[in-house]
Amino acid sequence: MDQDPVTTTPFLSTPLTEIAYVQPQSLAAPRQASPENAYAVAVQLRAAGGTEQFVVSTGDPMQPFRVSGEPPIGQERFLALVA
């Protein structure tokens, strides 16, 4: 089975696009929307893309953490850098 190298890494059998998505009102959302999961996504994106990734706290209850190739903006708080 061929997999897209941008969204799947050797460490995961599930594409990152499926892991990073948190369905609103999901019972699993509190477990999925954690800084640990955001960090895990950042590590996978760093391995797949080769660019540094920032883990930030957004203050938004629907998306409390996000991973980006850009530093935090506005009211967001820097949590980790995967370089």
Side-chain angles (χ1 to χ4, degrees), residues 1-21 36-48:
M1 178 165 105
D2 291 326
Q3 294 181 338
D4 180 2
V6 174
T7 58
T8 305
T9 71
F11 308 105
L12 296 174
S13 59
T14 305
L16 288 174
T17 53
E18 292 178 19
I19 293 173
Y21 180 74
E36 293 83 9
N37 281 358
Y39 184 79
V41 169
V43 169
Q44 297 302 317
L45 289 172
R46 172 69 170 105

Side-chain angles (χ1 to χ4, degrees), residues 43-60:
V43 169
Q44 297 302 317
L45 289 172
R46 172 69 170 105
T51 59
E52 63 185 16
Q53 298 294 318
F54 293 87
V55 178
V56 298
S57 174
T58 66
D60 179 358

Side-chain angles (χ1 to χ4, degrees), residues 1 8 11 14 24 28 30 33-34 47 49 59-60 65 67 69-70 72-73 76 79 83:
M1 178 165 105
T8 305
F11 308 105
T14 305
S34 70
D60 179 358
F65 308 99
V67 176
E70 301 294 323
I73 56 173
E76 295 178 335
L79 297 179

